[in-house]
Amino acid sequence: MNPESEIRPGLDELAGHYKEVLRLLGEDAEREGLQKTPMRVAKAMQVLTRGYEQDPHKVLTDALFKEEYDQMVIVKDIDMFSMCEHHMLPFYGKAHVAYIPNGYITGLSKIARVVDIFSHRLQVQERLTQQIKDCIQDTLNPQGVMVVIEAKHMCMQMRGVEKQHSITTTSAFSGVFEDIAVREEFMHLLRGESKRI
């Protein structure tokens, strides 16, 4: 389904608030170029926060398969876009997820969907990383999970310190990834082929 076609309750009210924001910024919301802007922004914000309406646990269990595979499964370079909850400006980058199954695997695309669901909420990168790890650990009960996110934050690039090339890296891990050797294996695989943002 096209996310742009999903309309949630409150759209008209949200558009009304954006019209008032334009006025408070000193703009004329009735001028030609801005007449449709409040509704456009309201629809965009509903798309950018659609993760509140989705269940990441169900995504994983809908494609759960019994499989006696007990080595590392890695889905890396997952494009990630989110909104910083402090300034409501975007941050974007790559998520890398690994887990070691414990009798069950899930569809590979479902890992990317979990990243998508949690990132389409107002977030901080640290919590986003933890939520992805916790969801996979709690739902699949694997031997362990590790998540690494590398992102650029527009709140650092466009305002404040205005640093254009900084990248923030966060990680979260559980189970067998508590072992530094297992974490190093994962990081070695990422360094070998991972692309820069």
Side-chain angles (χ1 to χ4, degrees):
M1 181 179 287
N2 179 3
E4 294 285 351
S5 66
E6 298 174 20
I7 295 176
R8 305 204 309 264
L11 182 66
D12 290 333
E13 185 179 0
L14 189 57
H17 287 295
Y18 278 114
K19 185 173 183 178
E20 179 65 8
V21 167
L22 288 173
R23 185 189 69 77
L24 291 170
L25 291 175
E27 268 290 357
D28 175 9
E30 298 303 326
R31 71 175 173 85
E32 184 179 6
L34 289 178
Q35 286 176 3
K36 295 182 180 179
T37 296
M39 183 56 72
R40 288 187 187 113
V41 177
K43 287 179 179 178
M45 289 304 295
Q46 284 201 346
V47 169
L48 294 172
T49 60
R50 68 180 182 263
Y52 290 118
E53 304 293 315
Q54 299 169 330
D55 183 352
H57 299 279
K58 185 175 187 307
V59 165
L60 291 175
T61 57
D62 281 351
L64 195 61
F65 309 102
K66 188 165 181 59
E67 190 66 50
E68 296 305 317
Y69 181 82
D70 62 357
Q71 300 300 310
M72 198 177 300
V73 177
I74 302 174
V75 183
K76 64 181 184 175
D77 292 328
I78 302 167
D79 289 325
M80 183 279 306
F81 303 90
S82 193
M83 296 283 284
C84 166
E85 69 179 32
H86 297 148
H87 301 100
M88 291 182 68
L89 289 171
F91 65 97
Y92 61 95
K94 303 284 187 184
H96 316 288
V97 180
Y99 75 101
I100 298 180
N102 189 22
Y104 290 91
I105 61 171
T106 190
L108 297 176
S109 68
K110 306 309 179 185
I111 299 295
R113 288 280 296 121
V114 168
V115 172
D116 186 64
I117 289 170
F118 283 116
S119 64
H120 280 78
R121 301 175 181 183
L122 297 181
Q123 282 288 9
V124 295
Q125 184 175 331
E126 296 88 343
R127 183 173 65 238
L128 173 61
T129 309
Q130 189 78 30
Q131 286 176 331
I132 295 166
K133 185 267 294 179
D134 289 345
C135 177
I136 296 169
Q137 183 66 53
D138 295 345
T139 308
L140 300 182
N141 192 32
Q143 297 179 55
V145 179
M146 185 162 180
V147 178
V148 173
I149 295 179
E150 302 169 293
K152 292 185 176 183
H153 292 249
M154 297 305 286
C155 58
M156 286 184 65
Q157 293 179 289
M158 295 178 66
R159 56 160 302 283
V161 295
E162 296 184 6
K163 298 303 179 191
Q164 305 305 311
H165 304 292
S166 63
I167 295 174
T168 300
T169 302
T170 49
S171 67
F173 49 86
S174 62
V176 293
F177 287 94
E178 300 281 347
D179 184 334
I180 192 167
V182 180
R183 293 201 306 276
E184 285 179 349
E185 178 186 352
F186 174 48
M187 297 306 293
H188 174 73
L189 291 168
L190 291 186
R191 283 192 298 268
E193 298 177 22
S194 180
K195 302 181 187 72
R196 299 297 292 172
I197 296 172

